[in-house]
Amino acid sequence: EDQVTQSPEALRLQEGESSSLNCSYTVSGLRGLFWYRQDPGKGPEFLFTLYSAGEEKEKERLKATLTKKESFLHITAPKPEDSATYLCAVGGGRRALTFGSGTRLQVQP
Amino acid sequence: GAGVSQSPSNKVTEKGKDVELRCDPISGHTALYWYRQSLGQGLEFLIYFQGNSAPDKSGLPSDRFSAERTGGSVSTLTIQRTQQEDSAVYLCASSLGGGSQETQYFGPGTRLLVL
């Protein structure tokens, strides 16, 4: 059974204080690892897809990396508008994605 | 359309009543998914449609839940005889193809409250 564990559950940062979110996974045959951002009262918004170990993708202040066991979402010099819940999901043997419970990020000015 | 749309945005119903939730996927996307997100929980897979193939219903929690997809586009999720534990956000997603390597794009969700 595919499993995804995200840590920490919640993270509070000061504006400009860089940090990383962790996503550990077990999956039978990784087809893709996905990062989403979810704002309160809204649906998940797609950020990145990673397909193989060693792959990295960047978008503004966010950078996602992938190893054979985990993925990191690095946030560089965050701003208050980066506050959201970040979700990690894996695509494996079944069609649907398996999601972690998310990391709630709060960036204070 | 520009993105996945869902209606209604919010639904309040009484225990025992039936509800219908609607999803309009991105035009041209062949795969459609329904997930449920309960407070503080991760997304839970419910059902998957791909083209004209038989749907994958393996995630439906009980026989009170059913879904259909008409004409390969719009989908309706029906919950019969609603219970309080059905209260959650119901999210619909679509992807261009049906493989698990495909990026799924989500709608805004329907917030269901069963009193």
Side-chain angles (χ1 to χ4, degrees), chain B residues 17-57:
Chain B
K17 295 284 181 69
D18 298 351
V19 295
E20 283 190 353
L21 312 180
R22 176 188 167 106
C23 172
D24 231 312
I26 294 172
S27 178
H29 280 195
T30 63
L32 186 149
Y33 305 78
W34 284 97
Y35 293 86
R36 178 168 70 175
Q37 187 174 35
S38 302
L39 194 63
Q41 302 293 317
L43 275 73
E44 172 192 6
F45 165 70
L46 297 177
I47 188 169
Y48 156 77
F49 296 90
Q50 167 61 40
N52 295 320
S53 301
D56 177 355
K57 304 179 182 180

mmCIF file of all heavy atoms in Angstrom, chain B residues 17-57:
data_model
loop_
_atom_site.group_PDB
_atom_site.id
_atom_site.type_symbol
_atom_site.label_atom_id
_atom_site.label_comp_id
_atom_site.label_asym_id
_atom_site.label_seq_id
_atom_site.Cartn_x
_atom_site.Cartn_y
_atom_site.Cartn_z
ATOM 1 N N LYS B 17 -31.208 12.955 3.903
ATOM 2 C CA LYS B 17 -31.528 13.472 2.579
ATOM 3 C C LYS B 17 -30.452 13.055 1.575
ATOM 4 O O LYS B 17 -29.330 12.741 1.938
ATOM 5 C CB LYS B 17 -31.611 15.002 2.619
ATOM 6 C CG LYS B 17 -32.739 15.551 3.479
ATOM 7 C CD LYS B 17 -34.064 15.403 2.785
ATOM 8 C CE LYS B 17 -35.215 15.959 3.615
ATOM 9 N NZ LYS B 17 -35.184 17.415 3.726
ATOM 10 N N ASP B 18 -30.821 13.061 0.272
ATOM 11 C CA ASP B 18 -29.865 12.781 -0.795
ATOM 12 C C ASP B 18 -29.279 14.096 -1.302
ATOM 13 O O ASP B 18 -29.959 15.119 -1.322
ATOM 14 C CB ASP B 18 -30.564 12.079 -1.960
ATOM 15 C CG ASP B 18 -31.148 10.724 -1.576
ATOM 16 O OD1 ASP B 18 -30.874 10.238 -0.457
ATOM 17 O OD2 ASP B 18 -31.882 10.147 -2.408
ATOM 18 N N VAL B 19 -28.003 14.043 -1.747
ATOM 19 C CA VAL B 19 -27.371 15.227 -2.340
ATOM 20 C C VAL B 19 -26.669 14.842 -3.632
ATOM 21 O O VAL B 19 -26.212 13.703 -3.789
ATOM 22 C CB VAL B 19 -26.354 15.901 -1.387
ATOM 23 C CG1 VAL B 19 -27.050 16.459 -0.156
ATOM 24 C CG2 VAL B 19 -25.234 14.947 -1.000
ATOM 25 N N GLU B 20 -26.589 15.814 -4.539
ATOM 26 C CA GLU B 20 -25.865 15.632 -5.800
ATOM 27 C C GLU B 20 -24.829 16.731 -5.935
ATOM 28 O O GLU B 20 -25.144 17.913 -5.790
ATOM 29 C CB GLU B 20 -26.832 15.692 -6.988
ATOM 30 C CG GLU B 20 -27.652 14.443 -7.186
ATOM 31 C CD GLU B 20 -28.397 14.464 -8.515
ATOM 32 O OE1 GLU B 20 -28.378 15.501 -9.202
ATOM 33 O OE2 GLU B 20 -29.009 13.437 -8.843
ATOM 34 N N LEU B 21 -23.612 16.329 -6.234
ATOM 35 C CA LEU B 21 -22.515 17.267 -6.417
ATOM 36 C C LEU B 21 -22.048 17.151 -7.870
ATOM 37 O O LEU B 21 -21.909 16.039 -8.395
ATOM 38 C CB LEU B 21 -21.355 16.936 -5.469
ATOM 39 C CG LEU B 21 -21.727 16.685 -4.001
ATOM 40 C CD1 LEU B 21 -20.478 16.367 -3.196
ATOM 41 C CD2 LEU B 21 -22.462 17.870 -3.413
ATOM 42 N N ARG B 22 -21.744 18.314 -8.471
ATOM 43 C CA ARG B 22 -21.420 18.313 -9.890
ATOM 44 C C ARG B 22 -19.988 18.742 -10.140
ATOM 45 O O ARG B 22 -19.456 19.599 -9.424
ATOM 46 C CB ARG B 22 -22.365 19.258 -10.628
ATOM 47 C CG ARG B 22 -22.075 19.439 -12.114
ATOM 48 C CD ARG B 22 -22.936 20.540 -12.704
ATOM 49 N NE ARG B 22 -22.467 20.935 -14.029
ATOM 50 C CZ ARG B 22 -23.082 20.602 -15.163
ATOM 51 N NH1 ARG B 22 -24.203 19.881 -15.139
ATOM 52 N NH2 ARG B 22 -22.593 20.998 -16.324
ATOM 53 N N CYS B 23 -19.370 18.147 -11.165
ATOM 54 C CA CYS B 23 -17.999 18.508 -11.553
ATOM 55 C C CYS B 23 -17.920 18.660 -13.067
ATOM 56 O O CYS B 23 -18.349 17.775 -13.814
ATOM 57 C CB CYS B 23 -17.019 17.433 -11.101
ATOM 58 S SG CYS B 23 -15.338 17.661 -11.734
ATOM 59 N N ASP B 24 -17.332 19.790 -13.484
ATOM 60 C CA ASP B 24 -17.074 20.045 -14.906
ATOM 61 C C ASP B 24 -15.557 20.041 -15.109
ATOM 62 O O ASP B 24 -14.875 20.969 -14.639
ATOM 63 C CB ASP B 24 -17.630 21.421 -15.268
ATOM 64 C CG ASP B 24 -18.514 21.374 -16.484
ATOM 65 O OD1 ASP B 24 -18.075 20.762 -17.476
ATOM 66 O OD2 ASP B 24 -19.606 21.957 -16.452
ATOM 67 N N PRO B 25 -14.994 19.038 -15.754
ATOM 68 C CA PRO B 25 -13.532 18.965 -15.871
ATOM 69 C C PRO B 25 -12.994 19.937 -16.919
ATOM 70 O O PRO B 25 -13.757 20.572 -17.645
ATOM 71 C CB PRO B 25 -13.305 17.524 -16.320
ATOM 72 C CG PRO B 25 -14.540 17.213 -17.121
ATOM 73 C CD PRO B 25 -15.658 17.929 -16.428
ATOM 74 N N ILE B 26 -11.667 20.030 -16.988
ATOM 75 C CA ILE B 26 -11.023 20.831 -18.018
ATOM 76 C C ILE B 26 -11.321 20.202 -19.377
ATOM 77 O O ILE B 26 -11.222 18.973 -19.533
ATOM 78 C CB ILE B 26 -9.508 20.916 -17.764
ATOM 79 C CG1 ILE B 26 -9.244 21.705 -16.472
ATOM 80 C CG2 ILE B 26 -8.783 21.566 -18.938
ATOM 81 C CD1 ILE B 26 -7.799 21.686 -16.010
ATOM 82 N N SER B 27 -11.660 21.039 -20.334
ATOM 83 C CA SER B 27 -11.992 20.551 -21.669
ATOM 84 C C SER B 27 -10.845 19.744 -22.254
ATOM 85 O O SER B 27 -9.683 20.184 -22.235
ATOM 86 C CB SER B 27 -12.307 21.749 -22.577
ATOM 87 O OG SER B 27 -12.585 21.320 -23.886
ATOM 88 N N GLY B 28 -11.154 18.553 -22.764
ATOM 89 C CA GLY B 28 -10.143 17.702 -23.372
ATOM 90 C C GLY B 28 -9.502 16.705 -22.426
ATOM 91 O O GLY B 28 -8.780 15.806 -22.865
ATOM 92 N N HIS B 29 -9.736 16.866 -21.129
ATOM 93 C CA HIS B 29 -9.188 15.912 -20.161
ATOM 94 C C HIS B 29 -10.036 14.654 -20.163
ATOM 95 O O HIS B 29 -11.255 14.706 -20.040
ATOM 96 C CB HIS B 29 -9.155 16.531 -18.763
ATOM 97 C CG HIS B 29 -7.991 17.436 -18.553
ATOM 98 N ND1 HIS B 29 -7.591 17.863 -17.299
ATOM 99 C CD2 HIS B 29 -7.132 18.002 -19.434
ATOM 100 C CE1 HIS B 29 -6.525 18.642 -17.425
ATOM 101 N NE2 HIS B 29 -6.241 18.743 -18.697
ATOM 102 N N THR B 30 -9.356 13.502 -20.284
ATOM 103 C CA THR B 30 -10.096 12.249 -20.382
ATOM 104 C C THR B 30 -10.324 11.587 -19.020
ATOM 105 O O THR B 30 -11.193 10.745 -18.882
ATOM 106 C CB THR B 30 -9.354 11.257 -21.292
ATOM 107 O OG1 THR B 30 -8.088 10.935 -20.700
ATOM 108 C CG2 THR B 30 -9.126 11.863 -22.677
ATOM 109 N N ALA B 31 -9.517 11.928 -18.039
ATOM 110 C CA ALA B 31 -9.625 11.291 -16.724
ATOM 111 C C ALA B 31 -10.235 12.252 -15.720
ATOM 112 O O ALA B 31 -9.931 13.456 -15.727
ATOM 113 C CB ALA B 31 -8.258 10.824 -16.244
ATOM 114 N N LEU B 32 -11.091 11.716 -14.842
ATOM 115 C CA LEU B 32 -11.753 12.520 -13.819
ATOM 116 C C LEU B 32 -11.756 11.747 -12.520
ATOM 117 O O LEU B 32 -12.003 10.534 -12.500
ATOM 118 C CB LEU B 32 -13.190 12.844 -14.262
ATOM 119 C CG LEU B 32 -14.009 13.799 -13.390
ATOM 120 C CD1 LEU B 32 -14.994 14.589 -14.245
ATOM 121 C CD2 LEU B 32 -14.728 13.075 -12.284
ATOM 122 N N TYR B 33 -11.453 12.454 -11.431
ATOM 123 C CA TYR B 33 -11.329 11.842 -10.111
ATOM 124 C C TYR B 33 -12.216 12.597 -9.116
ATOM 125 O O TYR B 33 -12.336 13.818 -9.194
ATOM 126 C CB TYR B 33 -9.891 11.926 -9.596
ATOM 127 C CG TYR B 33 -8.836 11.356 -10.509
ATOM 128 C CD1 TYR B 33 -8.391 12.079 -11.609
ATOM 129 C CD2 TYR B 33 -8.256 10.117 -10.254
ATOM 130 C CE1 TYR B 33 -7.406 11.571 -12.441
ATOM 131 C CE2 TYR B 33 -7.263 9.608 -11.079
ATOM 132 C CZ TYR B 33 -6.848 10.332 -12.170
ATOM 133 O OH TYR B 33 -5.875 9.829 -12.997
ATOM 134 N N TRP B 34 -12.736 11.864 -8.147
ATOM 135 C CA TRP B 34 -13.384 12.448 -6.976
ATOM 136 C C TRP B 34 -12.580 12.050 -5.735
ATOM 137 O O TRP B 34 -12.217 10.863 -5.575
ATOM 138 C CB TRP B 34 -14.814 11.958 -6.815
ATOM 139 C CG TRP B 34 -15.812 12.567 -7.747
ATOM 140 C CD1 TRP B 34 -16.273 12.052 -8.920
ATOM 141 C CD2 TRP B 34 -16.498 13.813 -7.565
ATOM 142 N NE1 TRP B 34 -17.200 12.895 -9.485
ATOM 143 C CE2 TRP B 34 -17.358 13.981 -8.672
ATOM 144 C CE3 TRP B 34 -16.487 14.798 -6.582
ATOM 145 C CZ2 TRP B 34 -18.192 15.090 -8.827
ATOM 146 C CZ3 TRP B 34 -17.313 15.905 -6.739
ATOM 147 C CH2 TRP B 34 -18.153 16.041 -7.852
ATOM 148 N N TYR B 35 -12.322 13.052 -4.894
ATOM 149 C CA TYR B 35 -11.648 12.848 -3.608
ATOM 150 C C TYR B 35 -12.511 13.486 -2.520
ATOM 151 O O TYR B 35 -13.329 14.365 -2.784
ATOM 152 C CB TYR B 35 -10.272 13.515 -3.567
ATOM 153 C CG TYR B 35 -9.221 12.928 -4.482
ATOM 154 C CD1 TYR B 35 -9.118 13.347 -5.804
ATOM 155 C CD2 TYR B 35 -8.308 11.988 -4.016
ATOM 156 C CE1 TYR B 35 -8.133 12.831 -6.640
ATOM 157 C CE2 TYR B 35 -7.317 11.475 -4.835
ATOM 158 C CZ TYR B 35 -7.238 11.900 -6.151
ATOM 159 O OH TYR B 35 -6.254 11.390 -6.974
ATOM 160 N N ARG B 36 -12.257 13.066 -1.284
ATOM 161 C CA ARG B 36 -12.928 13.666 -0.126
ATOM 162 C C ARG B 36 -11.844 14.129 0.845
ATOM 163 O O ARG B 36 -10.858 13.412 1.089
ATOM 164 C CB ARG B 36 -13.839 12.633 0.540
ATOM 165 C CG ARG B 36 -14.548 13.128 1.781
ATOM 166 C CD ARG B 36 -15.626 12.169 2.216
ATOM 167 N NE ARG B 36 -15.126 10.926 2.755
ATOM 168 C CZ ARG B 36 -15.899 9.988 3.282
ATOM 169 N NH1 ARG B 36 -17.217 10.162 3.299
ATOM 170 N NH2 ARG B 36 -15.378 8.875 3.767
ATOM 171 N N GLN B 37 -12.045 15.330 1.402
ATOM 172 C CA GLN B 37 -11.084 15.883 2.358
ATOM 173 C C GLN B 37 -11.840 16.240 3.623
ATOM 174 O O GLN B 37 -12.622 17.193 3.652
ATOM 175 C CB GLN B 37 -10.393 17.120 1.774
ATOM 176 C CG GLN B 37 -9.272 17.662 2.633
ATOM 177 C CD GLN B 37 -8.533 18.799 1.945
ATOM 178 O OE1 GLN B 37 -9.115 19.591 1.217
ATOM 179 N NE2 GLN B 37 -7.224 18.882 2.162
ATOM 180 N N SER B 38 -11.591 15.470 4.669
ATOM 181 C CA SER B 38 -12.199 15.766 5.961
ATOM 182 C C SER B 38 -11.269 16.666 6.745
ATOM 183 O O SER B 38 -10.067 16.725 6.466
ATOM 184 C CB SER B 38 -12.465 14.466 6.731
ATOM 185 O OG SER B 38 -13.305 13.613 5.964
ATOM 186 N N LEU B 39 -11.819 17.360 7.739
ATOM 187 C CA LEU B 39 -11.062 18.350 8.497
ATOM 188 C C LEU B 39 -9.785 17.739 9.063
ATOM 189 O O LEU B 39 -9.824 16.745 9.765
ATOM 190 C CB LEU B 39 -11.941 18.911 9.629
ATOM 191 C CG LEU B 39 -11.416 20.173 10.303
ATOM 192 C CD1 LEU B 39 -11.357 21.314 9.287
ATOM 193 C CD2 LEU B 39 -12.298 20.554 11.475
ATOM 194 N N GLY B 40 -8.651 18.343 8.693
ATOM 195 C CA GLY B 40 -7.376 17.891 9.219
ATOM 196 C C GLY B 40 -6.863 16.590 8.622
ATOM 197 O O GLY B 40 -5.847 16.069 9.075
ATOM 198 N N GLN B 41 -7.548 16.088 7.608
ATOM 199 C CA GLN B 41 -7.149 14.813 6.997
ATOM 200 C C GLN B 41 -6.606 15.046 5.595
ATOM 201 O O GLN B 41 -6.848 16.067 4.969
ATOM 202 C CB GLN B 41 -8.361 13.874 6.912
ATOM 203 C CG GLN B 41 -9.027 13.584 8.237
ATOM 204 C CD GLN B 41 -8.142 12.779 9.149
ATOM 205 O OE1 GLN B 41 -7.493 11.817 8.728
ATOM 206 N NE2 GLN B 41 -8.089 13.165 10.399
ATOM 207 N N GLY B 42 -5.881 14.055 5.107
ATOM 208 C CA GLY B 42 -5.420 14.094 3.727
ATOM 209 C C GLY B 42 -6.565 13.794 2.782
ATOM 210 O O GLY B 42 -7.660 13.421 3.195
ATOM 211 N N LEU B 43 -6.317 13.960 1.502
ATOM 212 C CA LEU B 43 -7.339 13.674 0.514
ATOM 213 C C LEU B 43 -7.519 12.171 0.388
ATOM 214 O O LEU B 43 -6.557 11.413 0.279
ATOM 215 C CB LEU B 43 -6.951 14.259 -0.843
ATOM 216 C CG LEU B 43 -7.301 15.705 -1.078
ATOM 217 C CD1 LEU B 43 -6.397 16.623 -0.275
ATOM 218 C CD2 LEU B 43 -7.230 16.037 -2.557
ATOM 219 N N GLU B 44 -8.786 11.753 0.356
ATOM 220 C CA GLU B 44 -9.149 10.341 0.273
ATOM 221 C C GLU B 44 -9.798 10.074 -1.077
ATOM 222 O O GLU B 44 -10.796 10.704 -1.425
ATOM 223 C CB GLU B 44 -10.132 10.025 1.409
ATOM 224 C CG GLU B 44 -10.761 8.644 1.366
ATOM 225 C CD GLU B 44 -11.925 8.538 2.344
ATOM 226 O OE1 GLU B 44 -12.316 9.548 2.954
ATOM 227 O OE2 GLU B 44 -12.459 7.424 2.482
ATOM 228 N N PHE B 45 -9.231 9.163 -1.846
ATOM 229 C CA PHE B 45 -9.751 8.820 -3.160
ATOM 230 C C PHE B 45 -11.121 8.172 -3.068
ATOM 231 O O PHE B 45 -11.357 7.313 -2.212
ATOM 232 C CB PHE B 45 -8.780 7.868 -3.858
ATOM 233 C CG PHE B 45 -9.350 7.166 -5.062
ATOM 234 C CD1 PHE B 45 -9.615 7.863 -6.227
ATOM 235 C CD2 PHE B 45 -9.618 5.801 -5.029
ATOM 236 C CE1 PHE B 45 -10.130 7.219 -7.345
ATOM 237 C CE2 PHE B 45 -10.131 5.141 -6.137
ATOM 238 C CZ PHE B 45 -10.392 5.857 -7.293
ATOM 239 N N LEU B 46 -12.034 8.566 -3.946
ATOM 240 C CA LEU B 46 -13.369 7.976 -3.984
ATOM 241 C C LEU B 46 -13.591 7.159 -5.259
ATOM 242 O O LEU B 46 -13.892 5.968 -5.197
ATOM 243 C CB LEU B 46 -14.434 9.066 -3.883
ATOM 244 C CG LEU B 46 -14.457 9.884 -2.583
ATOM 245 C CD1 LEU B 46 -15.511 10.979 -2.663
ATOM 246 C CD2 LEU B 46 -14.702 8.987 -1.376
ATOM 247 N N ILE B 47 -13.470 7.802 -6.426
ATOM 248 C CA ILE B 47 -13.802 7.134 -7.681
ATOM 249 C C ILE B 47 -13.050 7.787 -8.829
ATOM 250 O O ILE B 47 -12.686 8.965 -8.755
ATOM 251 C CB ILE B 47 -15.331 7.165 -7.926
ATOM 252 C CG1 ILE B 47 -15.736 6.295 -9.125
ATOM 253 C CG2 ILE B 47 -15.823 8.596 -8.095
ATOM 254 C CD1 ILE B 47 -17.253 6.085 -9.229
ATOM 255 N N TYR B 48 -12.815 7.015 -9.885
ATOM 256 C CA TYR B 48 -12.014 7.461 -11.031
ATOM 257 C C TYR B 48 -12.698 7.039 -12.326
ATOM 258 O O TYR B 48 -13.153 5.896 -12.443
ATOM 259 C CB TYR B 48 -10.626 6.847 -10.910
ATOM 260 C CG TYR B 48 -9.832 6.700 -12.185
ATOM 261 C CD1 TYR B 48 -9.208 7.787 -12.776
ATOM 262 C CD2 TYR B 48 -9.672 5.440 -12.787
ATOM 263 C CE1 TYR B 48 -8.452 7.637 -13.918
ATOM 264 C CE2 TYR B 48 -8.915 5.294 -13.934
ATOM 265 C CZ TYR B 48 -8.307 6.387 -14.491
ATOM 266 O OH TYR B 48 -7.559 6.247 -15.633
ATOM 267 N N PHE B 49 -12.772 7.960 -13.275
ATOM 268 C CA PHE B 49 -13.303 7.691 -14.608
ATOM 269 C C PHE B 49 -12.201 7.950 -15.641
ATOM 270 O O PHE B 49 -11.485 8.937 -15.564
ATOM 271 C CB PHE B 49 -14.473 8.637 -14.933
ATOM 272 C CG PHE B 49 -15.668 8.475 -14.059
ATOM 273 C CD1 PHE B 49 -15.798 9.211 -12.891
ATOM 274 C CD2 PHE B 49 -16.689 7.604 -14.404
ATOM 275 C CE1 PHE B 49 -16.916 9.078 -12.085
ATOM 276 C CE2 PHE B 49 -17.811 7.469 -13.602
ATOM 277 C CZ PHE B 49 -17.924 8.209 -12.444
ATOM 278 N N GLN B 50 -12.104 7.061 -16.627
ATOM 279 C CA GLN B 50 -11.142 7.245 -17.717
ATOM 280 C C GLN B 50 -11.822 6.876 -19.022
ATOM 281 O O GLN B 50 -12.126 5.700 -19.254
ATOM 282 C CB GLN B 50 -9.893 6.398 -17.497
ATOM 283 C CG GLN B 50 -8.977 6.272 -18.700
ATOM 284 C CD GLN B 50 -8.428 7.590 -19.180
ATOM 285 O OE1 GLN B 50 -8.076 8.438 -18.371
ATOM 286 N NE2 GLN B 50 -8.353 7.788 -20.475
ATOM 287 N N GLY B 51 -12.061 7.873 -19.849
ATOM 288 C CA GLY B 51 -12.671 7.628 -21.147
ATOM 289 C C GLY B 51 -13.947 6.822 -21.032
ATOM 290 O O GLY B 51 -14.821 7.113 -20.228
ATOM 291 N N ASN B 52 -14.036 5.776 -21.854
ATOM 292 C CA ASN B 52 -15.218 4.913 -21.853
ATOM 293 C C ASN B 52 -15.053 3.658 -21.006
ATOM 294 O O ASN B 52 -15.917 2.779 -21.015
ATOM 295 C CB ASN B 52 -15.548 4.495 -23.288
ATOM 296 C CG ASN B 52 -15.946 5.681 -24.137
ATOM 297 O OD1 ASN B 52 -16.650 6.568 -23.677
ATOM 298 N ND2 ASN B 52 -15.462 5.711 -25.377
ATOM 299 N N SER B 53 -13.933 3.582 -20.269
ATOM 300 C CA SER B 53 -13.686 2.399 -19.447
ATOM 301 C C SER B 53 -14.590 2.391 -18.222
ATOM 302 O O SER B 53 -15.102 3.424 -17.811
ATOM 303 C CB SER B 53 -12.226 2.382 -18.994
ATOM 304 O OG SER B 53 -11.348 2.378 -20.085
ATOM 305 N N ALA B 54 -14.775 1.190 -17.664
ATOM 306 C CA ALA B 54 -15.550 1.072 -16.427
ATOM 307 C C ALA B 54 -14.847 1.858 -15.330
ATOM 308 O O ALA B 54 -13.624 1.813 -15.205
ATOM 309 C CB ALA B 54 -15.675 -0.389 -16.027
ATOM 310 N N PRO B 55 -15.594 2.614 -14.515
ATOM 311 C CA PRO B 55 -14.966 3.416 -13.466
ATOM 312 C C PRO B 55 -14.339 2.554 -12.376
ATOM 313 O O PRO B 55 -14.779 1.433 -12.122
ATOM 314 C CB PRO B 55 -16.134 4.246 -12.911
ATOM 315 C CG PRO B 55 -17.356 3.486 -13.262
ATOM 316 C CD PRO B 55 -17.061 2.792 -14.552
ATOM 317 N N ASP B 56 -13.306 3.099 -11.742
ATOM 318 C CA ASP B 56 -12.682 2.473 -10.573
ATOM 319 C C ASP B 56 -13.407 3.009 -9.347
ATOM 320 O O ASP B 56 -13.179 4.142 -8.945
ATOM 321 C CB ASP B 56 -11.198 2.819 -10.539
ATOM 322 C CG ASP B 56 -10.485 2.271 -9.301
ATOM 323 O OD1 ASP B 56 -11.159 1.706 -8.412
ATOM 324 O OD2 ASP B 56 -9.266 2.434 -9.214
ATOM 325 N N LYS B 57 -14.249 2.175 -8.734
ATOM 326 C CA LYS B 57 -15.066 2.592 -7.593
ATOM 327 C C LYS B 57 -14.478 2.136 -6.268
ATOM 328 O O LYS B 57 -15.165 2.157 -5.244
ATOM 329 C CB LYS B 57 -16.461 1.990 -7.717
ATOM 330 C CG LYS B 57 -17.181 2.316 -9.015
ATOM 331 C CD LYS B 57 -18.546 1.652 -9.044
ATOM 332 C CE LYS B 57 -19.280 1.918 -10.342
ATOM 333 N NZ LYS B 57 -20.611 1.265 -10.361
#
